[in-house]
């Protein structure tokens, strides 16, 4: 199973930016779809963004135009650039892999990184 390690979380003021990274183990990274999800205590985990094996990207409406997902297959890494952050973006952010490559069946998850946006 793929191992995932997120980094880049922290505390930022509203309107600021953060860049999350997720490093993945394994030699088949380029064939996976990668996704970012987030969770607030007491709420279900919600989809944020995904990038397929071919580079197609999809975003939740709440982050569209502010967040950008990208991948570096040479480094087995996926990034989430978060701009114009809002207090409601505060959550634990998780990256995940989907071996199908298409972004609909995520089955490996990282341990998460905390993002806190102050008003």
């Amino acid at each position: 199973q793929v191992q995932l390690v997120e980094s880049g979380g922290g505390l930022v003021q509203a309107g600021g930016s953060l860049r999350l990274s997720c490093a993945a183990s394994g030699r088949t990274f380029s064939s996976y779809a990668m996704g970012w999800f987030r969770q607030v205590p007491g709420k279900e985990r919600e989809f944020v963004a995904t990038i397929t094996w071919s580079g197609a990207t999809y975003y939740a409406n709440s982050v569209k135009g502010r967040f950008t997902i990208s991948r570096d297959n040479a480094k087995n890494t996926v990034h989430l650039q978060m701009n114009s952050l809002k207090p409601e973006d505060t959550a634990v952010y998780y990256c995940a892999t989907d071996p199908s490559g298409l972004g609909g069946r995520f089955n490996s998850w990282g341990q998460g990184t905390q993002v806190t946006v102050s008003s």
Side-chain angles (χ1 to χ4, degrees):
Q1 197 169 9
V2 177
Q3 291 189 331
L4 303 169
V5 179
E6 300 99 334
S7 62
L11 173 65
V12 64
Q13 288 188 331
S17 298
L18 282 174
R19 188 188 194 216
L20 305 184
S21 297
C22 174
S25 65
R27 291 182 287 181
T28 56
F29 175 83
S30 62
S31 68
Y32 296 158
M34 300 296 297
W36 286 98
F37 294 75
R38 65 188 182 187
Q39 189 169 24
V40 175
K43 293 190 175 182
E44 291 188 357
R45 190 172 298 183
E46 67 172 359
F47 166 77
V48 175
T50 189
I51 184 166
T52 68
W53 72 273
S54 64
T57 57
Y58 303 92
Y59 298 93
N61 287 335
S62 58
V63 307
K64 201 172 294 183
R66 300 188 296 122
F67 291 9
T68 302
I69 189 171
S70 62
R71 65 190 301 158
D72 183 342
N73 290 336
K75 296 182 178 179
N76 281 16
T77 302
V78 62
H79 302 286
L80 185 68
Q81 178 67 43
M82 306 186 295
N83 299 328
S84 302
L85 283 161
K86 304 176 180 179
E88 52 263 43
D89 295 318
T90 295
V92 178
Y93 283 71
Y94 299 89
C95 70
T97 62
D98 170 13
S100 79
L102 301 177
R105 293 186 294 175
F106 294 95
N107 64 359
S108 293
W109 299 83
Q111 293 190 328
T113 185
Q114 176 71 47
V115 171
T116 304
V117 184
S118 63
S119 57

